[in-house]
Every structure is written in structure tokens, then in C-alpha cells.
Amino acid sequence: MTSDKQKEAVIEKDKGNAFYKKKEFEKALEHYEAALKLDPTNISIMTNRAAVYFEQNKLDDCIKECEKAIEVGREKHSPFNVIAKAFCRIGNAYLKKDNLEKALTYYNKSLSEHRVPEVVKKAQNVESMIKERERLAYINPEISLEEKSKGNKMYQDGNFPDAIKHYNEAILRNPDDAKIYSNRSACYMKLMEYSLALKDADECIKRDPTFVKGYLRKGATFLAQKESTKAADAYSKALELDPQCQEAKEGYQKSVMSQGNDIDSVKKRVMNNPEVQNILCDPAMRAILQQMQENPKAISEHLSNPEIRDKIDKLMECGIIDIR
């Protein structure tokens, strides 16, 4: 093959590329065909023709053309990046065919020849798609309910580690069931794994913001960690959903009673917070605080009033309430 033919082949390829950009694919194929007759070992022309087949949705032709390009490229010791492009095109075709596993295989083959950020990202995306597809295929609410029931039995028997195993499987089978996270949170509480208990309480609330137990689990976890203000806030939200919830009332009361702060720092926060000063100057609030000091159970009578509860929360945040 003469050098002149190679030059003519490049000219024909460039003409094909021009038509490809204009989406005139049949004309592009004519020039690529002419280019390959002049230079049958130029695999770039083959991969360009494969790109046309891809756009025409002739995916099997695209794959065959790229496989031929790779075969010729190996024989002629073509640059790794050129062979990598052919592997990537095959990956693109399999992705369009919705064959994720093969798409990932060929993207990885492309990366083994020449590592390109764009192809790395494609491989990562396909991996994520495969995992998500497997996750969705695994979902089965009926099996989830069976596993949750087994977990509940283990919990009642005091076998918390095995209960968690069943709850883990129940969540995999139905990840949107808020109640399972609540149950697993209770298990972690029993094992004093407070960070995990809190995480599950948050997951429970995320999936169902109206589920009272999520806030009860959160409040109990904060209370166990001696974070009384945060506990009171969680119990307060539970009471907003169910003002008659006894567990929320008792938890809120315990949170208030466990408050304690350095006197100087408390005074400083009061001086810097006009809202707190107004609350303390309110005769009605002073009467309520007096009742709380004399009879801690009296606070339950005021929790049904959101306005009073908000004021108590504010005083707790500043560390003013300190009932022992």
C-alpha cells in the first residue's frame, strides 16, 4: 500500500466525519467504506463506522465492527488508546442493549488498554446501575414481614444480636418500611450502641415523618447519652403528632428534669437572649416553673399547650431549667 493511498484514505475518512456530524449517516458510511478500501488496516476508520451503526441503532453491527477493529489492531500493534476506543464502543452498544454486565466487562477492557476519566465514570455508573438493579430485584415485602416477625421474636427473647440479623434482612427486602428501622433502633439501644440506634431512628423518621415511635427512639437515645435538650426536642415532636402519648410525656419530663448547667454560663446566655428574658419575665411562665420545682409531674399538664412547650424548650436550650 502506497503512502498516497493512506493520504486518500484520511481524506475520505474526514469527509465521512463531516457527514457524521451532520447526522447524514448513509453518506458518512459511503466515505468510510471508500476509506477502508484505500487503507483496510486503519482501525480508526472502523471505529468511526461502528459509531455510525451505533447511531443507527444497528448495535450488533457496531459490536462486530469494533471486534474486527480490535483484531486488526492487535495484528498491526496499533496504539493502546485506539484499541481502548473500540472496546469502549462495544461497551456503549451493550449499554444501549441494556446488557449492563457485558457493558461493564468491555468498559473494563477499555480501561485495561488505556485509562480515560470518561470511561472510568461510565464503568462506575454501570456498576451502580447493576447494584441498584440487584437491590430492586431482591425486594420482597412478604419475606420482609417474615424476617421482621422473626426479629420481633428474638427481641422478646432478649436475643438482640440475632434480632438485628433478621431486621437487617427485613430492611434489604423492604427498605422503605419505617417500622423495621424503629425495631432495629430498639435493639441497638439494648446493646448500648447509641450511634447506631440514633442512625436508625433518623432513618425511620426520614421514611415516615408521621411515625411517632421514630421520635420516641430518638429521644430515648439522646436521653441515654445525657443530651437532654436534644432528647426533649425529639419528645416534643412526638407530642406534636400525638399529644396523648404517655411515653413522650414521660420522656419529655425526664429530659427537663435532667437539665444542668454552669451558673455563670447560664447567666451569660440569658443576658444575650432577649427572648429568654421575656419568657422569664412572664408571670404565667414563672408560675409554671415554680410548679415544676415543687412538683415535677406538673409539667405534664402543660405539654398539651404548644406555646408553653416551645417556651420550656427555649429555657432548656439555655440551661435555665435545672430540676433534680
Side-chain angles (χ1 to χ4, degrees), residues 38-311:
L38 292 165
D39 187 359
T41 63
N42 188 328
I43 67 172
S44 291
I45 303 172
M46 297 178 193
T47 56
N48 285 11
R49 185 161 66 176
V52 172
Y53 292 143
F54 181 86
E55 293 295 336
Q56 292 178 322
N57 211 35
K58 297 177 180 178
L59 302 178
D60 290 334
D61 289 339
C62 173
I63 292 169
K64 289 178 183 178
E65 190 72 14
C66 288
E67 288 174 340
K68 182 179 177 182
I70 292 166
E71 182 182 349
V72 172
R74 295 289 193 212
E75 291 175 358
K76 301 299 179 180
H77 304 289
S78 297
F80 293 124
N81 64 313
V82 178
I83 293 176
K85 183 181 289 187
F87 277 124
C88 181
R89 287 263 160 85
I90 295 176
N92 291 343
Y94 277 119
L95 181 59
K96 200 170 184 180
K97 287 164 73 78
D98 201 34
N99 190 330
L100 301 182
E101 288 74 14
K102 280 198 172 183
L104 181 60
T105 295
Y106 280 95
Y107 286 143
N108 285 333
K109 285 184 177 183
S110 176
L111 291 171
S112 69
E113 298 289 334
H114 183 67
R115 198 166 185 83
V116 178
E118 180 186 355
V119 182
V120 171
K121 187 174 181 180
K122 285 184 177 183
Q124 290 173 341
N125 288 340
V126 172
E127 281 182 342
S128 297
M129 292 167 67
I130 290 172
K131 289 179 181 178
E132 179 62 11
R133 184 172 287 184
E134 290 173 348
R135 184 188 73 82
L136 292 174
Y138 199 70
I139 290 175
N140 187 317
E142 291 183 6
I143 295 178
S144 176
L145 187 59
E146 292 174 6
E147 290 295 328
K148 184 171 73 169
S149 297
K150 291 177 183 178
N152 293 346
K153 179 63 168 59
M154 292 293 178
Y155 181 88
Q156 292 167 3
D157 293 341
N159 188 346
F160 306 120
D162 282 346
I164 288 172
K165 290 179 183 178
H166 287 293
Y167 290 143
N168 289 345
E169 182 66 16
I171 286 171
L172 290 174
R173 293 291 186 173
N174 190 4
D176 293 326
D177 188 340
K179 293 179 181 178
I180 309 173
Y181 294 95
S182 172
N183 291 4
R184 192 170 67 176
S185 177
C187 282
Y188 284 132
M189 276 292 292
K190 292 292 186 181
L191 297 172
M192 294 186 289
E193 294 282 358
Y194 299 130
S195 61
L196 294 174
L198 181 60
K199 182 179 178 182
D200 269 352
D202 283 333
E203 289 293 337
C204 174
I205 293 168
K206 178 181 177 181
R207 281 159 178 76
D208 186 356
T210 65
F211 187 47
V212 174
K213 273 196 175 181
Y215 299 99
L216 297 178
R217 301 293 187 210
K218 190 169 185 176
T221 304
F222 280 132
L223 203 55
Q225 294 177 302
K226 302 187 185 303
E227 296 190 53
S228 304
T229 302
K230 292 180 180 179
D233 182 58
Y235 285 123
S236 179
K237 289 178 181 176
L239 286 166
E240 289 176 10
L241 294 170
D242 183 4
Q244 303 307 316
C245 179
Q246 191 60 34
E247 185 177 347
K249 289 181 180 180
E250 292 174 359
Y252 189 88
Q253 182 175 320
K254 288 179 183 178
S255 303
V256 171
M257 292 176 65
S258 64
Q259 291 294 302
N261 278 281
D262 174 73
I263 293 176
D264 291 335
S265 62
V266 171
K267 288 181 179 179
K268 185 177 180 180
R269 285 198 291 273
V270 172
M271 293 298 293
N272 292 332
N273 194 326
E275 184 181 356
V276 173
Q277 292 179 39
N278 289 336
I279 294 173
L280 293 175
C281 291
D282 182 352
M285 280 305 301
R286 289 212 305 269
I288 291 172
L289 294 175
Q290 183 66 33
Q291 285 180 331
M292 289 167 54
Q293 288 180 333
E294 296 172 356
N295 179 15
K297 292 183 179 180
I299 190 173
S300 297
E301 300 174 8
H302 306 291
L303 293 179
S304 59
N305 187 324
E307 184 178 350
I308 293 175
R309 189 167 64 242
D310 288 344
K311 290 179 180 180

Side-chain angles (χ1 to χ4, degrees), residues 305-318:
N305 187 324
E307 184 178 350
I308 293 175
R309 189 167 64 242
D310 288 344
K311 290 179 180 180
I312 291 174
D313 285 342
K314 180 62 66 175
L315 296 180
M316 288 176 59
E317 288 174 10
C318 292

